[in-house]
Amino acid sequence: MGRLDGKVALVTAAAGGIAGASARRFAAEGASVLVCDIDLDGAERTVADIVAAGGTARARHCDVADPESTEGAVEAAIDAFGTIQILMNGAAAREPVANVVDLPLAEWERAMRINLTGIFLMCKYGIPKIAAAGGGSVINVASQLGSVVVPNRPAYVTSKAAVIQLSRSMALDFAKDNVRVNSLSPGATETGRLLEHYDTMEDVRRALVPLHPIGRLGQPEDLADAALFLASDESAFVTGHDLIVDGGYTAV
Ligand SMILES: NC(=O)c1ccc[n+]([C@@H]2O[C@H](COP(=O)([O-])OP(=O)(O)OC[C@H]3O[C@@H](n4cnc5c(N)ncnc54)[C@H](O)[C@@H]3O)[C@@H](O)[C@H]2O)c1
């Protein structure tokens, strides 16, 4: 018996590390998964993994910054699987490391559009379907940098703090519909994102492991475990919560 038997999940950014591991985990626990990403080839690779493991999934191109694309993804999940009970929003932009004076307005707006408005759009179209299904769980991937900051990442840290507040706001508004909304805040996790500013994962570890008291970086599967908890009925009394999974980064 899987922990998500009979449920349908829509996961954005599921070609990527954290959302991809979560999509695989949801499927392994019995959910049918619509694997969405702007990178359709990557989404299809995630689907292939799921199907090879005996699960059920379909791939869908979706740009979370685009209202038509997000609405289309929600409709595609309904067409494919009849309903949605779980919505996981994992997309984030990669933006230059720069302070407010140096960061181009277009990069600020792009980060806000993908990181924050993307969640607004997916929830705008997804929540009514989850409510119509009798309720379910929305998981918005924020960051430990939604609670604390690092230098020269104004768009990222601000958008992630806003994701935590947007999640609380929606938790309040849709509790009456049995729709739970939580944010999930990773610490540094070994995915392609971290290689943006370092040459190798070894360089990343040398720089960032000392900031994580637990003595290692996160693995995508660490976050998938936490996402599974938030997706499943085991978290039935959890809403409006920011679940920080950061190896102690923010405890220091
Ligand atoms: N890896 C970390 O250290 C870390 C730490 C804290 C928070 N996070 C958050 O976790 C989430 C997942 O990050 P990851 O580390 O797995 O990154 P990743 O780069 O492995 O995956 C990100 C995915 O997002 C997709 N994407 C980008 N723009 C998109 C758009 N407009 N529409 C749809 N998909 C889009 C990319 O194609 C990619 O597949 C992000 O929200 C990120 O901010 C990551």
Side-chain angles (χ1 to χ4, degrees):
M1 185 73 187
R3 289 156 71 185
L4 301 180
D5 271 350
K7 308 240 179 184
V8 174
L10 189 167
V11 183
T12 72
I18 291 171
S22 301
R24 287 190 287 272
R25 194 74 208 275
F26 292 172
E29 292 291 341
S32 301
V33 184
L34 191 74
V35 173
C36 297
D37 203 291
I38 203 165
D39 169 9
L40 183 58
D41 289 345
E44 275 164 356
R45 282 193 291 277
T46 302
V47 168
D49 290 346
I50 290 172
V51 170
T56 302
R58 302 235 184 119
R60 167 92 189 180
H61 178 272
C62 174
D63 177 355
V64 300
D66 174 14
E68 274 178 34
S69 188
T70 50
E71 189 172 17
V74 168
E75 291 304 333
I78 301 292
D79 287 350
F81 304 122
T83 185
I84 304 177
Q85 289 101 351
I86 298 159
L87 169 61
M88 179 167 178
N89 292 305
R94 297 185 178 182
E95 86 280 357
V97 173
N99 64 30
V100 162
V101 173
D102 297 329
L103 187 69
L105 173 61
E107 295 288 352
W108 167 269
E109 289 183 337
R110 189 170 160 275
M112 289 298 164
R113 182 84 187 184
I114 295 173
N115 300 8
L116 181 59
T117 307
I119 290 179
F120 167 85
L121 289 171
M122 289 304 306
C123 289
K124 183 175 195 54
Y125 299 117
I127 284 179
K129 306 294 185 191
I130 301 174
S137 172
V138 178
I139 303 152
N140 296 322
V141 183
S143 171
Q144 91 277 36
L145 299 181
S147 298
V148 295
V149 302
V150 290
N152 295 316
R153 303 287 305 281
Y156 188 78
V157 302
T158 304
S159 68
K160 292 300 188 175
V163 167
I164 294 168
Q165 285 292 65
L166 174 62
S167 303
R168 288 192 186 115
S169 167
M170 294 190 291
L172 208 59
D173 290 341
F174 299 105
K176 63 179 177 7
D177 300 306
N178 199 28
V179 179
R180 298 184 295 107
V181 186
N182 295 289
S183 51
L184 173 60
S185 286
T189 304
E190 294 191 8
T191 70
R193 270 188 84 76
L194 291 186
L195 291 173
E196 210 182 340
H197 305 298
Y198 298 88
D199 289 336
T200 67
M201 201 51 86
E202 244 343 286
D203 293 341
V204 178
R205 291 187 193 118
R206 248 191 305 279
L208 299 183
V209 167
L211 305 177
H212 295 74
I214 215 148
R216 66 172 176 87
L217 300 186
Q219 295 300 318
E221 292 71 23
D222 292 315
L223 278 304
D225 284 342
L228 173 60
F229 167 70
L230 291 176
S232 75
D233 293 341
E234 288 153 35
S235 60
F237 200 50
V238 181
T239 196
H241 178 64
D242 180 43
L243 180 53
I244 298 179
V245 180
D246 70 351
Y249 183 106
T250 50
V252 178

